[in-house]
Amino acid sequence: MIQSLRSWLVGLCAFAAVAGGCSSTIPKSALALSPQSLERRQLQTRTFDTTNEGQILQASAGLLQDLGFTLDSTQSTLGLLSASKERDAREGGQIVGAVLVSALLGVRTDYDRNQRIRASVVTHPSGGKIAVRVTFQRVVWNTANQITRLEFVDDVEIYQEFFSKLSKSVFLEAHEI
């Protein structure tokens, strides 16, 4: 009896030590947003003076299609749509470099071949207005079919152009033009 109680206590202590060693606290800095994320969010978000979220989503979908995107999914009840388009990613300099390396060293060198550009639009009603956030990402594959780049598109002009065209589209739809 004492032996089994002793074994049970040793087991309990071992469990407590292991469980205690596994628990850790999350550093406060892990949940803090960087200044770049705030700048990126401001670049990607605009507010429209309307309460018609469906109209905003419809205009966004039409605009993305006009820009060559194919709609992948829409969840109008959640205020979400996503789209993508495939594009050639070959650059002359990269190909020339690969050919030179292959010729000089006799080894195959891969270069970027194609890319998929993804767009996501999220709408959020807020105080009689609709906030719209659009994000663009780019995934690039090389000739060996490996991902060479996975990145957010942070080009200010792309976001400005998108929101300018979206504003015009929302205006035209609102006035049935």
Side-chain angles (χ1 to χ4, degrees), residues 58-70:
Q58 186 175 5
S60 298
L63 174 57
L64 287 170
Q65 288 174 326
D66 289 347
L67 294 172
F69 286 86
T70 301

Side-chain angles (χ1 to χ4, degrees), residues 4 21 27 30 38-39 44 61 67 74 82 107 131-132 134 152-153 162:
S4 65
L38 178 59
E39 291 172 15
Q44 298 168 341
L67 294 172
T74 59
S82 62
V107 295
V132 178
V134 64
F152 278 102
V153 176
F162 178 85

Side-chain angles (χ1 to χ4, degrees), residues 13-91:
C13 289
F15 174 77
V18 169
C22 291
S23 69
S24 62
T25 59
I26 298 172
K28 291 181 181 181
S29 62
L31 301 176
L33 295 175
S34 69
Q36 293 84 7
S37 66
L38 178 59
E39 291 172 15
R40 179 179 286 149
R41 188 172 294 246
Q42 289 174 341
L43 172 69
Q44 298 168 341
T45 307
R46 297 290 184 280
T47 304
F48 291 86
D49 291 324
T50 182
T51 57
N52 191 339
E53 191 173 8
Q55 179 188 34
I56 296 284
L57 284 170
Q58 186 175 5
S60 298
L63 174 57
L64 287 170
Q65 288 174 326
D66 289 347
L67 294 172
F69 286 86
T70 301
L71 293 179
D72 297 326
S73 67
T74 59
Q75 293 292 326
S76 56
T77 56
L78 299 175
L80 172 68
L81 65 90
S82 62
S84 62
K85 65 180 173 180
E86 303 286 331
R87 291 292 181 259
D88 191 348
R90 291 179 283 195
E91 297 177 4

Side-chain angles (χ1 to χ4, degrees), residues 100-163:
L100 287 174
V101 168
S102 294
L104 293 173
L105 301 176
V107 295
R108 178 183 169 186
T109 304
D110 296 310
Y111 53 88
D112 291 341
R113 183 190 64 214
N114 64 319
Q115 62 184 328
R116 176 178 295 136
I117 302 169
R118 296 180 183 156
S120 299
V121 176
V122 178
T123 59
H124 177 71
S126 177
K129 298 179 180 187
I130 304 289
V132 178
R133 183 175 182 198
V134 64
T135 58
F136 295 98
Q137 305 90 32
R138 185 169 90 118
V139 181
V140 180
W141 287 269
N142 66 11
T143 53
N145 208 27
Q146 297 170 326
I147 294 176
T148 58
R149 279 183 257 169
L150 179 60
E151 60 194 7
F152 278 102
V153 176
D154 283 333
D155 187 349
V156 174
E157 291 177 14
I158 290 173
Y159 291 95
Q160 288 174 342
E161 179 182 353
F162 178 85
F163 284 117

